C-alpha cells in the first residue's frame, strides 16, 4: 500500500512560513529589512495588541511596480539576487525571497505601493496565501504593508504567542537594533496610541545611542575601532570600571545585520577581563564590516546568525579593538588594590561600611526538622543542632569554614548572605515596610525604550521593593525614593539593573529576580575579610532561612564534607 503523498500546497506553504515567521517581531523584522533594502529614509511601524491584531510597516523607499507587487508574494521571488554567484556576496538584508510569501500565508495582508513612475499606485489584498483583490490606489512613493490577524489560520502557532506586552517588547528590541545599525534612517514605533520610539535621522552612531539611551549611558562608553585586511570593527564599548552585571547591552552587527554570535561575544568579554569588577560585563555596540565573501549569512532562516570564513581572525580583530580602547587605562587591580572587596565606582571614596544586617531582624523562626535533617542526614535536626555548629574561620576571605561532629561545611559567604537578605527583603516587601531614602534632588535617569516599558508595567512591583519613580516626559524618569540599604551614588545603577530584571516573565518570577538582585548588590562580596562574630551571625541566620542550601539565583551555598569521608581518606575509618 502506498503511504506517501505530496502535501497540498496550502499545508506546505504554512509549514515553510513557520520557519521564518514565529511571532510579530519576526514579521516586523522581515518587513523593516525590506524597507531598508528599498532605501527608505523613514520607516514607521504601528502595532495593535502587541502586533497580534495589526502590524503596519510604512516606508518611503523605492516602492514597487504593479507587476512586481504581484510577483513579490511568490515563494523565492526576489529582486536581490539572480545568479548563484550572488549568494557568496550578499549585500542586502533580504535575499531568500521568502518573507512576503510566508507572511501572507499566515495572515490577512494588504499591500499599498507606488514606485513613483507608473501612472498610479496599487493596492493588493491577500488572505490565507491567496490573492483576494487588486485595486488602483493613490499612494505616495513607497510601500505600506498591513498584516492583520497573524496566525488566524494556524491556531497551534497562535497559542504560542505571549502577552501583548512581551510581544511588544520583542518588537521594541528589534527596532532598537535596526535603529542602531541605520542612524541615517528615521524610525518610529507606535503601539496603539503610544509612541514608543521616534528617532529622527542622525549623522552618527553616537547621536543614535544618545537618542535611544540618553546622555549618562553615552558617557560610560568610549569609541572602539580597529582595521585589518579589509575588515573593520567600529562602535562603542564600556570604559574600564563601568560595565553592568548582565550582558543585556551587548549588541553585535555584521555588515549592519544584528546577529547573535559566540565568537564576537567571547572576544568582547575576554578583552575586558581585569578591566571590570568580577561579575560585571561590558556594554557594547560593535559593528563588524567584512568583505561579503568572508561571511555566510545563509545559515539560519531568520539570518540572525552568520558564519565567518576565518573566525580566529575576527576574534583577534575584536580583541585588538577593545585593547585599543582599554590601553593606557590601568587594570582594576592597579587602581583599587583591594579590588573585589569593594565596589569600584564610589566604593573607595565611600568606604563607609554597609551594615551587615541592615534591617531589624524579623521574629526568629526555628528551622524545621526536615530541613535541618536534610542537611545533616541522620542528625536530629533542631535549632539546638544548628547552634551547635562551630565556625572555624575564613578561607581565601571568601568561604566560611564551619562544622559539627559529623561534617565539615564550606559556606560561600556571598551566596549565603544573598539567601539571608533575600528572605528578609521578601518579608519587608510584603509588609511594605522599606526604610527609604529620599534624596533632596531626585535621581534623574534616561531610559531605553524597553526599560521605559518595564517601568510602566511594573510600578507596583518596584514600589514593593522600596522604589518610587516618576515619569518626567519622554523616557526620562526621576527616582524619588529608594531603600535605605543603597547609597545615593548607587541608586541609579541599581534602579537600572532592576528594570532589566523585570522586562519579562510572570509577576512572581519578576518579584523574585528583583529581590535576588537587591540581595546580590547588598551582600558581602567574595574576598572580603569577615570578623569571627559576623561569620557566626551569618551562619546562624543562614540556617534560619527556608532554603539554606541554595542562593536565590539557584547556586549552591554549601559544600559538605562528611567526617566519614575525612576518616576514610586518612585511613582511620
Ligand atoms: P527578499 O527580501 O528576500 O527579496 P521578500 O519576500 O522579503 O524577499 O520580498 C520580495 C521582494 O519584494 C523583494 O526582493 C523586493 O523586490 C520586493 N519588496 C518587498 N518589500 C518591499 C518594500 N518595502 N519596498 C520595495 N520593494 C519591496
Ligand atoms: Mg525580505
Amino acid at each position: 500500500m502506498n503511504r506517501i503523498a505530496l502535501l497540498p500546497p496550502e499545508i506546505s506553504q504554512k509549514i515553510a512560513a513557520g520557519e521564518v515567521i514565529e511571532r510579530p517581531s519576526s514579521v516586523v523584522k522581515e518587513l523593516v529589512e525590506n524597507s531598508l533594502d528599498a532605501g527608505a529614509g523613514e520607516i514607521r511601524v504601528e502595532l495593535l495588541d502587541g502586533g497580534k491584531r495589526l502590524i503596519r510597516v510604512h516606508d518611503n523607499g523605492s516602492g514597487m511596480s504593479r507587476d512586481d507587487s504581484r510577483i513579490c508574494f511568490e515563494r523565492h521571488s526576489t529582486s536581490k539576487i539572480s545568479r548563484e554567484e550572488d549568494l557568496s556576496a550578499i549585500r542586502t538584508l533580504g535575499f531568500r525571497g521568502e518573507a512576503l510569501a510566508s507572511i501572507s500565508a499566515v495572515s490577512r495582508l494588504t499591500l499599498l505601493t507606488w514606485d513613483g513612475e507608473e501612472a498610479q499606485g496599487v493596492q493588493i489584498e491577500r488572505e490565507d496565501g491567496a490573492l483576494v483583490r487588486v485595486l488602483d490606489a493613490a499612494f505616495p512613493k513607497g510601500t505600506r504593508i498591513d498584516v492583520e490577524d497573524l496566525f488566524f489560520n494556524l491556531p497551534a502557532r497562535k497559542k504560542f504567542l505571549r502577552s501583548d506586552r512581551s510581544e511588544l517588547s520583542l518588537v521594541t528590541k528589534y527596532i532598537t537594533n535596526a535603529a542602531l545599525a541605520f542612524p541615517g534612517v528615521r524610525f518610529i514605533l507606535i503601539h496603539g496610541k503610544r509612541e514608543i520610539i521616534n528617532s529622527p535621522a542622525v549623522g552618527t552612531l553616537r547621536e543614535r545611542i544618545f537618542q535611544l539611551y540618553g546622555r549618562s549611558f553615552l558617557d560610560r562608553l568610549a569609541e572602539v575601532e580597529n582595521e585589518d585586511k579589509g575588515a573593520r570593527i567600529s562602535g562603542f564599548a564600556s570604559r574600564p570600571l563601568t560595565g553592568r552585571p548582565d550582558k543585556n547591552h551587548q549588541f553585535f552587527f555584521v555588515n549592519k545585520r544584528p546577529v547573535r554570535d559566540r565568537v564576537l561575544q567571547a572576544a568582547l568579554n575576554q578583552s575586558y577581563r581585569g578591566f571590570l569588577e568580577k561579575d560585571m560585563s561590558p556594554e557594547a555596540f560593535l559593528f563588524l564590516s567584512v568583505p561579503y565573501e568572508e561571511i555566510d549569512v545563509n545559515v539560519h532562516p531568520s539570518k540572525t546568525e552568520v558564519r565567518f570564513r576565518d573566525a580566529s581572525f575576527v576574534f583577534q580583530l575584536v580583541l585588538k579593538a577593545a585593547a585599543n580602547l582599554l590601553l593606557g587605562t590601568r587594570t582594576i587591580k592597579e587602581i583599587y588594590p583591594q579590588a573585589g572587596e569593594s565596589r569600584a565606582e564610589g566604593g573607595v571614596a565611600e568606604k563607609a561600611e554597609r551594615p551587615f544586617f541592615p534591617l531589624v531582624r524579623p521574629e526568629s523562626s526555628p528551622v524545621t526538622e526536615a530541613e535541618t535533617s536534610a542537611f545533616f542526614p541522620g542528625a536530629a535536626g533542631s535549632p539546638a543542632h544548628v547552634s551547635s555548629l562551630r565556625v572555624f574561620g575564613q578561607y581565601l576571605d571568601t568561604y566560611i569554614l564551619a562544622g559539627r561532629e559529623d561534617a565539615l561545611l564550606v559556606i560561600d559567604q556571598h551566596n549565603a548572605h544573598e539567601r539571608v537578605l533575600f528572605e528578609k527583603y521578601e518579608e519587608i516587601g510584603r509588609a511594605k515596610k522599606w526604610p527609604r531614602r529620599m534624596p533632596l534632588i531626585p535621581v534623574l535617569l534616561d531610559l531605553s525604550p524597553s526599560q521605559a516599558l518595564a517601568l510602566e508595567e511594573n510600578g507596583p512591583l518596584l514600589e514593593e521593593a522600596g522604589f518610587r519613580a516618576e515619569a518626567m516626559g519622554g523616557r526620562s524618569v526621576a527616582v524619588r525614593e529608594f531603600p535605605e540599604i543603597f547609597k545615593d551614588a548607587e541608586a541609579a545603577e541599581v534602579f537600572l539593573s532592576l528594570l532589566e530584571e523585570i522586562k519579562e516573565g510572570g509577576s512572581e518570577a519578576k518579584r523574585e529576580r528583583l529581590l535576588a538582585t537587591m540581595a546580590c548588590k547588598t551582600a558581602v562580596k567574595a574576598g572580603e575579610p569577615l570578623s569571627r562574630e559576623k561569620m557566626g551571625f551569618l551562619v546562624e541566620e543562614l540556617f534560619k532561612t527556608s532554603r539554606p542550601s541554595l542562593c536565590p539565583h539557584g547556586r549552591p551555598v554549601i559544600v559538605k564534607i562528611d567526617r566519614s569521608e575525612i576518616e576514610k581518606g586518612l585511613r582511620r575509618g
Side-chain angles (χ1 to χ4, degrees), residues 383-501:
H385 272 82
V386 172
S387 62
S388 72
L389 258 180
R390 272 187 56 202
V391 169
F392 305 125
Q394 207 181 6
Y395 176 53
L396 303 174
D397 288 345
T398 298
Y399 309 108
I400 298 169
L401 303 182
R404 296 179 349 119
E405 293 228 316
D406 54 355
L408 259 180
L409 301 184
V410 182
I411 302 172
D412 184 306
Q413 65 192 40
H414 176 71
N415 292 357
H417 201 191
E418 262 185 3
R419 164 55 64 188
V420 170
L421 293 177
F422 175 76
E423 298 203 356
K424 284 184 197 279
Y425 295 173
E426 257 186 330
E427 197 161 329
I428 298 168
R430 260 198 308 268
K432 304 210 170 24
K433 285 215 173 110
W434 278 105
R436 303 200 205 197
R437 225 183 266 284
M438 218 181 296
L440 278 177
I441 306 164
V443 181
L444 295 177
L445 290 169
D446 295 316
L447 304 182
S448 72
S450 58
Q451 287 167 341
L453 281 178
L455 173 60
E456 195 170 298
E457 262 286 85
N458 297 293
L461 204 55
L462 286 161
E463 181 77 28
E464 200 177 304
F467 289 84
R468 196 165 66 79
E470 220 171 84
M472 302 288 288
R475 291 195 307 270
S476 301
V477 60
V479 181
R480 297 196 182 279
E481 290 176 29
F482 52 88
E484 212 173 60
I485 48 171
F486 299 111
K487 299 174 200 135
D488 285 8
E490 287 176 319
E493 187 232 298
V494 170
F495 187 72
L496 288 176
S497 41
L498 294 183
L499 289 181
E500 293 298 321
E501 296 300 329

Side-chain angles (χ1 to χ4, degrees), residues 231 233 261-268 288 290 294-296 306-319:
I233 284 279
D261 184 72
R262 292 243 175 96
V263 175
L264 296 172
Q265 259 163 22
L268 174 75
L288 172 64
V290 285
E294 292 291 313
I295 50 166
D296 183 2
V306 290
R307 196 176 290 136
F308 298 115
R309 211 171 52 81
D310 187 352
S312 83
F313 169 72
V314 170
F315 191 89
Q316 292 301 327
L317 193 73
V318 175
L319 222 55

Side-chain angles (χ1 to χ4, degrees), residues 29-31 33-35 37 78 80 93-100 303:
K29 170 181 178 296
E30 294 296 335
L31 296 182
E33 286 189 355
N34 283 344
S35 300
D37 283 342
T78 178
K80 297 167 194 174
L93 293 164
F95 59 88
R96 295 165 59 114
E98 290 177 316
L100 291 182
K303 300 172 253 122

Side-chain angles (χ1 to χ4, degrees), residues 34 38 59 62-64 72 77-80 94-97 99-100 143:
N34 283 344
D59 69 54
S62 63
M64 282 180 262
C72 69
S77 68
T78 178
S79 56
K80 297 167 194 174
F95 59 88
R96 295 165 59 114
L100 291 182
T143 303

Side-chain angles (χ1 to χ4, degrees), residues 198-438:
N198 186 349
S199 20
V202 285
T204 61
L205 173 62
R206 177 189 292 277
E207 293 163 273
R208 199 26 72 88
I209 295 176
F210 175 75
Q211 282 178 331
L212 293 168
Y213 294 92
R215 160 77 26 210
S216 55
F217 189 89
L218 193 57
D219 286 344
R220 295 204 298 275
L221 304 177
E223 206 152 358
V224 271
E225 176 129 49
N226 185 32
E227 218 171 327
D228 192 13
K229 295 191 201 137
R232 179 159 185 266
I233 284 279
S234 62
F236 289 84
S238 291
R239 296 176 187 281
L241 299 177
T242 57
R244 49 182 302 118
D246 55 64
K247 296 189 168 65
N248 292 354
H249 285 147
Q250 299 187 348
F251 298 86
F252 302 98
F253 302 82
V254 175
N255 294 348
K256 301 214 151 198
R257 198 186 283 281
V259 294
R260 287 189 298 261
D261 184 72
R262 292 243 175 96
V263 175
L264 296 172
Q265 259 163 22
L268 174 75
N269 290 302
Q270 184 167 323
S271 316
Y272 274 79
R273 236 169 258 163
F275 289 92
L276 296 177
E277 269 189 281
K278 191 169 151 288
D279 297 329
M280 297 294 266
S281 303
E283 297 167 314
F285 303 91
L286 286 190
F287 290 78
L288 172 64
S289 25
V290 285
Y292 293 98
E293 307 76 51
E294 292 291 313
I295 50 166
D296 183 2
V297 291
N298 200 8
V299 186
H300 191 266
S302 65
K303 300 172 253 122
T304 48
E305 287 166 31
V306 290
R307 196 176 290 136
F308 298 115
R309 211 171 52 81
D310 187 352
S312 83
F313 169 72
V314 170
F315 191 89
Q316 292 301 327
L317 193 73
V318 175
L319 222 55
K320 276 187 222 138
N324 291 345
L325 184 162
L326 298 164
L327 210 77
T329 54
R330 292 162 301 157
T331 66
I332 185 164
K333 275 249 152 55
E334 291 164 323
I335 301 169
Y336 300 115
Q338 301 93 14
E341 205 178 280
S342 55
R343 301 172 15 74
E345 258 178 315
V348 173
E350 308 176 37
K351 188 89 209 303
E353 224 180 310
R354 197 192 293 285
F356 198 59
F357 287 104
L359 306 150
V360 194
R361 282 212 270 161
E363 295 295 291
S364 69
S365 49
V367 174
T368 67
E369 187 161 326
E371 283 155 6
T372 321
S373 52
F375 228 81
F376 294 103
S382 75
H385 272 82
V386 172
S387 62
S388 72
L389 258 180
R390 272 187 56 202
V391 169
F392 305 125
Q394 207 181 6
Y395 176 53
L396 303 174
D397 288 345
T398 298
Y399 309 108
I400 298 169
L401 303 182
R404 296 179 349 119
E405 293 228 316
D406 54 355
L408 259 180
L409 301 184
V410 182
I411 302 172
D412 184 306
Q413 65 192 40
H414 176 71
N415 292 357
H417 201 191
E418 262 185 3
R419 164 55 64 188
V420 170
L421 293 177
F422 175 76
E423 298 203 356
K424 284 184 197 279
Y425 295 173
E426 257 186 330
E427 197 161 329
I428 298 168
R430 260 198 308 268
K432 304 210 170 24
K433 285 215 173 110
W434 278 105
R436 303 200 205 197
R437 225 183 266 284
M438 218 181 296

